[in-house]
Amino acid sequence: DIQMTQSPSTLSASVGDRVTITCRASQSISSWLAWYQQKIGKAPKLLIYKASSLESGVPSRFSGGGSGTEFTLTISSLQPDDFATYYCQQYNSYPWTFGQGTKLEIK
Amino acid sequence: EVQLVESGGGLVQPGGSLRLSCAASGFTVSSNYMSWVRQAPGKGLEWVSIIYSGGSTYYTDSVKGRFTISRDNSKNTVYLQMNSLRAEDTAVYYCARVGWSGSHFNGMDVWGQGTTVTVSS
């Protein structure tokens, strides 16, 4: 199975900050990576697919990058609504696997 | 409106069975790839299973031989039959549509609200 490792596990930041979350795969997954946002008690929401493609309706302050084994999710200017938990997920091969999550907290 | 609504969760004893349902509206499940994802209490997301538009199915290792994904096209509903349930299957189970570009997946773009399964004696 492909292991997905996110860093950091927790990130404290302020409104207006630029933040980056990293996701590393245990083997190459090309660009078959998605990013999701999840708020407490809610279903996940797709933000980015194919590593860098922005899902329709998602604000442009979210961007994704990387390929192979290292990927990033960047939020250019944090808004109050962005404080949540973020997950990466590979869909290069079965079983699909998620990272352990990064909790983005208000500093 | 594109929507998924799960049902069928509940409390079940170890070794028991449950069938989860995921009713879709606004799109046709038979023309799409549909998946189940679960989340144990206080834990991260875990992918469980997928059914292709053509009917092929795949599972995570821990549920192979115990869970079965299927669909009823006439009801526009996807199911997850769960047998031989264990305490570690306790989770919120989400149904999701997998986006498809025509040549590759585009992530899970529509999610239901989730249904809770608790396996306990």
Side-chain angles (χ1 to χ4, degrees):
Chain A
D1 298 2
I2 297 174
Q3 307 303 315
M4 306 300 293
T5 304
Q6 290 180 230
S7 60
S9 294
T10 306
L11 179 56
S12 296
S14 301
V15 172
D17 285 354
R18 177 184 179 91
V19 298
T20 297
I21 299 169
T22 297
C23 177
R24 289 184 173 85
S26 59
Q27 63 190 76
S28 177
I29 59 170
S30 185
S31 295
W32 306 123
L33 183 103
W35 288 96
Y36 301 88
Q37 176 194 68
Q38 187 180 33
K39 297 183 178 179
I40 295 174
K42 300 294 186 181
K45 173 186 175 183
L46 177 65
L47 301 174
I48 302 284
Y49 62 92
K50 205 180 173 188
S52 60
S53 295
L54 191 68
E55 173 69 355
S56 176
V58 174
S60 59
R61 62 181 180 273
F62 290 91
S63 64
S67 66
T69 61
E70 188 152 338
F71 303 85
T72 57
L73 173 70
T74 298
I75 309 172
S76 60
S77 178
L78 274 173
Q79 300 302 301
D81 190 51
D82 299 338
F83 292 94
T85 299
Y86 293 83
Y87 294 92
C88 62
Q89 178 237 334
Q90 68 82 17
Y91 50 95
N92 178 77
S93 63
Y94 295 114
W96 290 354
T97 45
F98 288 88
Q100 81 279 14
T102 295
K103 185 176 182 180
L104 182 52
E105 298 180 330
I106 300 174
K107 184 184 285 185
Chain B
E1 180 190 6
V2 173
Q3 192 175 7
L4 294 169
V5 178
E6 301 99 332
S7 60
L11 174 64
V12 61
Q13 292 188 338
S17 298
L18 272 180
R19 188 179 78 159
L20 306 183
S21 299
C22 170
S25 56
F27 71 97
T28 304
V29 298
S30 62
S31 301
N32 283 271
Y33 298 74
M34 300 297 297
S35 197
W36 288 93
V37 173
R38 66 184 179 182
Q39 187 168 36
K43 303 298 185 182
L45 301 169
E46 180 184 25
W47 175 78
V48 175
S49 181
I50 187 171
I51 183 165
Y52 283 21
S53 55
S56 297
T57 60
Y58 295 89
Y59 301 89
T60 195
D61 289 348
S62 63
V63 309
K64 279 180 186 175
R66 300 189 300 124
F67 290 12
T68 302
I69 190 171
S70 63
R71 66 180 182 233
D72 184 330
N73 297 340
S74 67
K75 295 182 178 179
N76 209 29
T77 298
V78 177
Y79 302 99
L80 187 67
Q81 177 67 44
M82 305 186 297
N83 299 330
S84 303
L85 282 161
R86 306 166 179 167
E88 54 265 36
D89 296 318
T90 294
V92 175
Y93 284 74
Y94 295 101
C95 173
R97 185 180 75 177
V98 184
W100 177 251
S101 71
S103 60
H104 56 261
F105 292 124
N106 286 341
M108 290 178 273
D109 61 355
V110 179
W111 294 69
Q113 84 288 352
T115 187
T116 300
V117 173
T118 303
V119 184
S120 175
S121 55

